[in-house]
């Protein structure tokens, strides 16, 4: 009887039921889209961390910056011996990026913290190479003053030196020292080997290198080419293409080789950490900071706070404006559904009054109204899920490109100037101080649909039906058989 009457009443009041269901569907669809976009934003911010630090990295550990009172960093210097005659000069300096390093033993300490699954150390280097030559000046004698005259000269030639100087070309690039025995974590994991091969686990101290594809194209490197870093020749065994289009380094070499090049024996600049549970990242961060003093721990959440650009703007809109807008629309949909249900009950006074006169209890009438409202809610939920999922998939298909800019210290010193000197002297070229750079990364926005989002939509549909049913059931329970008689014409 219940379902028969329910089916008949819903069919008879199709328009009213459709209005209620459509209102709920709009609110539910908006919630699904906003939740999916928010998830996409988190994924995009995770990709920013991944492109900088590598696949699977939950956090990074670096050395805490020294207080400003301790002074700035020492400027790098290049020394050249300038001899008589044309003399080609070449010198390069290799230094850790940021000039801050941690002892390699820190990697083991981090790995021993509760909640840490894997910890791998790496050494980021900046290389500044100066090539050029000194050009000696030309002696120009004075006219008529070759051997002195008149006043009894000393016989020394009279004249001046003109021209000369130095011409140097400055080239800078980045090198990352990777632990070849543990290649499952670190910046190189965000790139794919597209030519040649990657490092072998046994090449812990081999003179081999992997070049970034963009840098290899610029320098015309290929598999088998040789590149010289501070007098050491490395054979390029592979070319890697970054997933995000912006590689973490121009060249990758074994960690021990990087430590030797930069005179940083048993040192690393960064420890890349993967947690056992992504829900415990905050706890792991606190444990590392507490138990390993003098370190700075950066998580994806911390990174998100430093991201600017269209990704940051879109994320703010999704988490603030979008969230509150969806909540407001959802509340309005619930209220409208409740009011429409009350209005429908009020128009059915004769019907419910007659049913009560025939022996229906108030509870049975209320259950009938709640049942109708629940069906409207479920229909609205189904429509809302369909519209919301379609909107999320459409957004994913379009994949609008967002730009994330992460302010960071420059990887190395600025270009230095060159100077000429006389014979036998010592010429110095001092690099400029550290500069500020913005690392810009383009991320394609997606709107993933999760099971939790669908479950939320179903819960909202049921809630909307219950709210509407509660309004209508309350109104129906107050009806009396006498009310039906007053409406009889």
């Amino acid at each position: 009887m219940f379902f028969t009457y329910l089916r008949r009443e819903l069919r008879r009041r199709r328009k009213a039921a459709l209005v209620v269901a459509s209102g709920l569907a709009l609110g539910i669809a908006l919630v699904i889209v906003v939740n999916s976009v928010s998830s996409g934003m988190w994924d995009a911010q995770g990709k920013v961390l991944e492109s900088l630090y590598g696949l699977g990295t939950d956090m990074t550990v670096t050395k805490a910056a020294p207080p400003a009172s301790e002074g700035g960093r020492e400027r790098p210097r290049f020394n050249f011996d300038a001899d008589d005659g044309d003399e080609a000069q070449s010198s390069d300096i290799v230094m850790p990026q940021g000039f801050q390093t941690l002892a390699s033993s820190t990697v083991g300490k981090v790995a021993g913290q509760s909640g840490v699954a894997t910890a791998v150390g790496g050494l980021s280097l900046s290389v500044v190479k100066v090539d050029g030559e000194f050009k000696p000046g030309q002696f120009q004698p004075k006219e008529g003053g070759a051997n002195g005259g008149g006043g009894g000269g000393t016989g020394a030639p009279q004249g001046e030196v003109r021209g000369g100087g130095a011409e140097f070309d400055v080239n800078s690039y980045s090198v990352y020292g990777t632990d070849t025995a543990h290649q499952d974590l670190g910046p190189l994991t965000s790139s794919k080997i597209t030519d040649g091969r990657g490092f072998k686990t046994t090449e812990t101290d081999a003179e081999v290198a992997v070049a970034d594809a963009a840098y290899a194209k610029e320098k015309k490197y290929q598999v088998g080419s040789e590149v010289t870093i501070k007098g050491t020749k490395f054979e390029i065994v592979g070319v890697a293409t970054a997933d995000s289009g912006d590689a973490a380094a121009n060249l990758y070499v074994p960690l021990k080789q990087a430590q030797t090049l930069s005179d940083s024996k048993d040192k690393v600049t960064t420890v890349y950490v993967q947690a056992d549970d992504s829900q415990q990242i905050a706890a792991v961060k606190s444990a590392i900071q507490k138990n390993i003093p003098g370190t700075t721990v950066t998580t994806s959440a911390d990174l998100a706070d430093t991201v600017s650009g269209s990704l940051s703007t879109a994320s703010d809109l999704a988490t603030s404006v979008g969230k509150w807008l969806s909540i407001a629309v959802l509340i309005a949909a619930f209220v409208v559904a409740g009011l429409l249900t009350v209005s429908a009950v009020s128009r059915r006074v004769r019907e419910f009054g007659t049913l009560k006169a025939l022996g229906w209890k108030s509870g049975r009438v209320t259950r009938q109204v709640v049942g109708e409202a629940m069906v409207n809610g479920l229909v609205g939920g189904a429509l809302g899920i369909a519209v919301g999922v379609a909107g999320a998939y459409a957004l994913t298909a379009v994949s609008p490109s967002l730009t994330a800019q992460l302010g960071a210290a420059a990887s190395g010193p600025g270009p230095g100037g060159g100077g000429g000197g006389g014979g036998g002297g010592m010429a110095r070229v001092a690099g400029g101080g550290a500069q500020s750079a913005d690392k810009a990364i383009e991320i394609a926005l997606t709107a993933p649909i999760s099971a939790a989002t669908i479950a939320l939509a179903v819960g909202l549909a049921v809630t909307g039906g219950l709210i509407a049913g509660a309004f209508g059931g309350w109104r129906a329970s107050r009806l009396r058989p006498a009310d039906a008689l007053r409406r009889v014409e």
Side-chain angles (χ1 to χ4, degrees):
M1 181 65 179
F2 173 81
F3 291 103
T4 302
Y5 191 80
L6 178 65
R7 183 173 60 255
R8 185 180 67 82
E9 289 301 318
L10 289 174
R11 184 180 302 171
R12 192 160 62 92
R13 294 178 172 81
R14 287 192 298 267
K15 291 183 179 180
L18 185 60
V19 170
V20 174
S22 298
L24 291 173
L26 176 61
I28 291 170
L30 187 58
V31 169
I32 290 175
V33 172
V34 170
N35 269 274
S36 300
V37 171
S38 296
S39 298
M41 294 298 174
W42 279 108
D43 290 345
Q45 290 170 346
K47 289 180 180 178
V48 174
L49 182 68
E50 176 184 315
S51 65
L52 293 176
Y53 300 136
L55 183 67
T57 302
D58 292 321
M59 65 192 78
T60 60
V61 181
T62 55
K63 185 175 182 179
S69 59
E70 294 184 8
R73 299 178 295 193
E74 182 182 354
R75 295 172 55 170
R77 293 180 178 274
F78 297 87
N79 296 327
F80 300 102
D81 289 321
D83 299 326
D84 290 335
D86 292 348
E87 182 69 24
Q89 300 280 350
S90 179
S91 179
D92 50 14
I93 185 169
V94 182
M95 69 202 84
Q97 289 189 2
F99 298 87
Q100 302 291 329
T101 58
L102 293 165
S104 296
S105 58
T106 306
V107 179
K109 294 178 182 179
V110 172
Q113 300 301 308
S114 176
V116 173
T118 310
V120 177
L123 185 63
S124 296
L125 303 177
S126 176
V127 182
V128 181
K129 186 176 183 63
V130 179
D131 292 292
E133 63 180 3
F134 292 100
K135 296 181 178 179
Q138 300 294 324
F139 179 77
Q140 299 290 335
K142 285 186 178 180
E143 295 183 3
N147 293 313
T154 61
Q158 301 294 315
E160 60 182 355
V161 176
R162 294 181 180 179
E167 183 177 348
F168 288 93
D169 178 51
V170 180
N171 177 37
S172 63
Y173 56 95
S174 57
V175 175
Y176 174 74
T178 183
D179 187 345
T180 60
H182 303 87
Q183 300 183 51
D184 54 343
L185 208 60
L188 188 54
T189 59
S190 62
S191 297
K192 181 180 179 181
I193 301 296
T194 52
D195 191 14
R197 63 174 178 85
F199 294 113
K200 297 178 181 178
T201 56
T202 56
E203 293 176 327
T204 56
D205 198 17
E207 294 175 354
V208 292
V210 172
D212 170 59
Y215 186 70
K217 182 178 180 181
E218 176 189 347
K219 297 298 181 181
K220 295 181 172 57
Y221 291 148
Q222 56 186 355
V223 175
S225 299
E226 285 190 344
V227 57
T228 302
I229 307 175
K230 201 176 181 180
T232 302
K233 291 184 178 180
F234 291 85
E235 179 188 357
I236 296 179
V237 296
V239 176
T241 302
D243 292 337
S244 66
D246 193 1
N250 299 130
L251 294 172
Y252 302 87
V253 300
L255 178 58
K256 287 187 178 180
Q257 284 290 338
Q259 292 171 334
T260 301
L261 290 172
S262 59
D263 297 325
S264 304
K265 184 179 180 181
D266 296 328
K267 298 288 186 181
V268 296
T269 52
T270 310
V271 181
Y272 304 90
V273 182
Q274 185 177 47
D276 284 324
D277 185 355
S278 60
Q279 303 300 319
Q280 300 298 321
I281 291 178
V284 175
K285 174 182 177 179
S286 299
I288 294 174
Q289 290 179 324
K290 177 182 178 181
N291 300 325
I292 309 177
T295 59
T296 298
V297 183
T298 304
T299 67
S300 55
D302 300 326
L303 185 69
D305 294 336
T306 67
V307 171
S308 60
S310 58
L311 174 60
S312 177
T313 303
S315 179
D316 290 341
L317 288 174
T319 56
S320 56
V321 178
K323 180 181 69 175
W324 290 113
L325 177 62
S326 62
I327 291 175
V329 171
L330 194 62
I331 292 175
F334 285 170
V335 172
V336 169
L339 293 177
L340 288 175
T341 303
V342 171
S343 177
V345 171
S346 298
R347 290 195 298 270
R348 298 164 66 184
V349 171
R350 280 194 306 173
E351 176 187 339
F352 290 135
T354 301
L355 290 174
K356 282 192 173 185
L358 294 175
W360 280 41
K361 302 293 185 182
S362 295
R364 186 175 179 181
V365 173
T366 301
R367 287 194 298 273
Q368 194 69 43
V369 173
V370 172
E372 294 175 14
M374 283 297 300
V375 171
N376 290 336
L378 292 176
V379 171
L383 290 174
I385 291 173
V387 174
V389 170
Y393 274 114
L395 185 61
T396 301
V398 174
S399 294
S401 180
L402 300 178
T403 302
Q405 292 181 331
L406 182 66
S411 59
M426 182 72 75
R428 286 184 176 180
V429 181
Q435 299 176 345
S436 175
D438 283 334
K439 190 177 183 69
I441 300 172
E442 284 197 358
I443 300 293
L445 178 63
T446 60
I449 301 292
S450 64
T453 301
I454 299 299
L456 174 63
V458 173
L460 292 175
V462 173
T463 302
L466 289 174
I467 291 176
F471 275 98
W474 170 79
R475 179 71 181 90
S477 66
R478 295 173 61 86
L479 295 176
R480 295 175 300 170
D483 294 331
L485 299 176
R486 296 193 187 99
R487 298 294 181 95
V488 175
E489 297 179 357

